[in-house]
Every structure is written in structure tokens, then in C-alpha cells.
Amino acid sequence: MKTHTTIIIGLLFSIMSCKYKVKNSNASYSSPSPVDSATLFADGLISSRLNEYNLTFSPDGNIRLYTIANNTSTNRFYTIFITRKEQGRWTKPQIASFSGQFSDADPFFDPIGKKLYFISTRPITTGVSKSDFDIWYVDYENEKFSLPKHLGNEVNSMNDELYPTVSEKGNLFFSTENGSKGYDLMVSRYEKHKFQRPVPLNGSINTTKTEFDAFVSPDESFIIYTGMNYADNHGSGDLYLSFNKGGFWGKGKNLGNKVNSSDMDQCPMLSNDRKTLFFTSFRDSQPYPNDKPMTTDEYLNILNSALNGLGNIFWVDLRQVIGASGIYKQSN
């Protein structure tokens, strides 16, 4: 297949260790995005010592939602937070009105900003518990979210459905368990005013390994997703780019170590102008000096810093990473 991208290899990180501080809740994070290497986004406001995932934006750019999870693997619980831009400043993140009771994650605004999709283990029938994640949505109108609505059993199954994104055509992309192939990327086409039964993406994008957390471009020309157990992984999971050629999704190309790390990298999302890539990474870049004993404050400052190995939101100028690939032809 024709090569569409030039992936620049080499990580140019230089991370300074500093004491964790909660910044002003109205702090602005409208500074220019990084040039060509992933760095921490909104340190102290969104990225913190907590476990943050999957940032999404409203089409007008004035709302950002993301997920905060607890830190246990045996009783994992996710909650969706929201921050709004008011008078040029961002408000202190709060639990979204529809979240906080059940485990909710992976928020995504549709391209016109009328619906917000997310996943949840909330019961479909009151009083009947549910352990797997289904796709739900809330309507958004007059700056308010509706009560959550189940997307239905045509899309949802007895397995997890993860990380929904919707294109301008109305098609729903997500990942789910696909038999012996593990997690694959799926599409549920929107036809005759409803979502159809999901099918795996056509082409060579899905493998016998694991593919999940896919962001599809609004025009469905490309997808950025997480691939696990690939031969060219830098860490436990890397971000990959696949192009759509006439309905055939090509083999994913690793975005390189200006984006990916030796840890898990997942939950990709592009800014509304499609120039900046946001994603979640579990980087632990703190020094543990052994030339002398640490003081109590020094050790606790490391544990309470953003780069403590829990999830954080990172950002990078995607144009600088992949070069002239045609992704930006509509926005430039």
C-alpha cells in the first residue's frame, strides 16, 4: 500500500519534576499547542495526580468533558467531568449532570453538538445490575444535558462497547470484543433514521491483536486508534493511524515515539480544527534519587505529581508529527 505518512522517530522530552499544586480553577489553558512532541495538557486543572482519560470537545470549543477513574483494578469506577469556557477562562471541573452514580466514561460530542455519547454500566432496567459497558447518549440543548438514553440492543451487546465516535455521516464507530480476534474496531451505519447492526471495519486495520479507542475523522478519511501487542509497539499500547481508501481501511501506521511512549497510550481525540492530537498516557517520569534518602515531603510530592504513572491528558501538534499527509487539506 502507498505510504501516506512520514513518521518522525525520536522522543524529545525533557520533563521537570516539581511539587504538585492545584492551580486556580479559572486558569486558562489556551496557550499554543506543542510543536512536535507530546507534553502534558492543562497541568493542575485537567491533568493532575488523579487518573484522567478521554478528553472531548463541543463543536464550538466552549465545553470540554473528560473521565476521572479511581485507582483500583478490582473495582474500577469512572466518572465524567465537565469544564466550561466562561469569559475567556475555564471553570473548575465538576461532575457532569448525568454522571456520578454509575460507572461512565468515553464522552464524545457528535459533530453538530446536539448529542453526547458515552459508555456506562448503568442498568437498562431499573434494579437490574449490569457489569458490561453499553453505549448511551444524552441530548444537549440550551446548555443542558438530558437524562441518559440507552442506544439500544441493535448496537449494544452482552460484551463491552467502548469509545464511541460519530462521523458527519452519522455513522457510529467503537470497539468491542469480536470473537477469537479480541477487541476490534466496528462501525454501526446510520441508515433509515437508526443505527444498523455493527460490523467490523473492512480492510487490514483489524488484526488478531487488539484494536480499540478509535477516533474517526469527521469525513471518515482516517482513524487514529490504539493497537496492543503489535510488533512495533513502543509500550503496552501505541497510537496508530489508518487511512480509508474507498471503504478499505489500511494497515495502521505507528505514530512514532514523539507521540507514543514506553507506557500505555490511548484515547485519541483531535481538536476541532484537526491540528492538535489529544490523548491519554500513563507516563511515570518522576525521578527517584538514590544518592541520598528522600524526605517525606520530597516523596509525597512525587506521588502527588501529575506524572505519577496514572492517566493524564497529553497534546501534540499532529501536523508536525506526520507531515504533509492530506489530512489537513480541508482545514488549510
Side-chain angles (χ1 to χ4, degrees):
M1 138 177 207
K2 182 179 178 181
T3 300
H4 292 270
T5 63
T6 300
I7 304 300
I8 306 173
I9 304 301
L11 186 62
L12 301 179
F13 262 164
S14 176
I15 300 175
M16 299 294 291
S17 172
C18 61
K19 181 176 181 179
Y20 172 79
K21 296 180 180 180
V22 177
K23 297 185 178 180
N24 188 315
S25 63
N26 289 322
S28 171
Y29 45 82
S30 58
S31 58
S33 62
V35 177
D36 64 354
S37 294
T39 55
L40 198 63
F41 174 69
D43 185 9
L45 182 65
I46 289 182
S47 293
S48 73
R49 63 183 177 85
L50 302 178
N51 215 1
E52 296 96 10
Y53 294 75
N54 38 62
L55 182 71
T56 192
F57 322 92
S58 60
D60 63 9
N62 291 326
I63 298 175
R64 284 168 172 163
L65 297 102
Y66 63 102
T67 303
I68 296 180
N70 60 8
N71 302 334
T72 175
S73 59
T74 57
N75 185 28
R76 183 53 61 90
F77 193 87
Y78 303 84
T79 303
I80 296 173
F81 277 66
I82 184 171
T83 175
R84 299 174 185 270
K85 191 174 185 180
E86 297 179 355
Q87 298 180 343
R89 313 289 285 180
W90 290 92
T91 61
K92 180 180 178 180
Q94 303 284 341
I95 294 177
S97 61
F98 55 88
S99 191
Q101 182 176 1
F102 303 100
S103 195
D104 306 318
D106 296 355
F108 180 81
F109 263 109
D110 74 355
I112 61 174
K114 296 294 186 181
K115 286 183 171 60
L116 180 88
Y117 295 85
F118 64 101
I119 64 172
S120 180
T121 59
R122 64 186 61 222
I124 302 171
T125 303
T126 303
V128 179
S129 62
K130 186 172 176 61
S131 59
D132 66 296
F133 282 101
D134 278 358
I135 299 175
W136 292 68
Y137 72 94
V138 288
D139 295 313
Y140 185 69
E141 188 174 3
N142 298 324
E143 300 185 354
K144 292 183 179 180
F145 294 103
S146 71
L147 294 175
K149 303 173 186 180
H150 190 249
L151 200 57
N153 293 329
E154 192 70 25
V155 172
N156 293 306
S157 69
M158 299 298 291
N159 298 320
D160 288 331
E161 281 74 38
L162 305 176
Y163 212 74
T165 62
V166 178
S167 72
E168 291 174 340
K169 298 178 181 179
N171 297 328
L172 173 72
F173 293 75
F174 61 96
S175 56
T176 191
E177 296 174 68
N178 187 21
S180 61
K181 296 183 67 179
Y183 279 88
D184 274 352
L185 305 181
M186 314 289 286
V187 60
S188 174
R189 303 196 180 282
Y190 192 73
E191 299 173 353
K192 299 179 180 179
H193 306 291
K194 67 177 183 178
F195 289 110
Q196 305 300 307
R197 186 168 296 279
V199 295
L201 293 189
N202 185 38
S204 56
I205 186 171
N206 286 317
T207 69
T208 57
K209 308 299 183 181
T210 297
E211 292 81 30
F212 68 106
D213 282 7
F215 168 85
V216 63
S217 65
D219 61 2
E220 300 186 14
S221 62
F222 67 94
I223 274 181
I224 301 174
Y225 69 96
T226 297
M228 290 182 63
N229 303 315
Y230 284 20
D232 61 349
N233 277 165
H234 295 276
S236 55
D238 281 7
L239 294 178
Y240 288 79
L241 175 68
S242 170
F243 286 90
N244 182 359
K245 300 292 289 183
F248 183 96
W249 291 94
K251 181 180 178 181
K253 181 174 288 292
N254 193 300
L255 284 180
N257 61 3
K258 285 181 177 283
V259 174
N260 293 308
S261 69
S262 59
D263 301 293
M264 171 63 76
D265 299 294
Q266 62 183 95
C267 306
M269 186 67 59
L270 288 191
S271 57
N272 292 335
D273 61 8
R274 298 198 292 174
K275 296 178 181 179
T276 304
L277 172 65
F278 295 83
F279 63 98
T280 298
S281 187
F282 293 80
R283 304 180 188 197
D284 185 351
S285 300
Q286 294 295 345
Y288 293 95
N290 57 15
D291 56 331
K292 63 179 181 178
M294 285 184 286
T295 67
T296 300
D297 285 345
E298 286 173 339
Y299 185 55
L300 292 180
N301 287 342
I302 289 175
L303 298 183
N304 286 324
S305 67
L307 296 171
N308 59 4
L310 298 178
N312 283 296
I313 309 300
F314 284 74
W315 61 346
V316 65
D317 188 334
L318 189 61
R319 297 167 300 170
Q320 298 294 326
V321 175
I322 66 174
S325 64
I327 288 179
Y328 305 99
K329 62 185 178 182
Q330 294 184 2
S331 58
N332 289 336

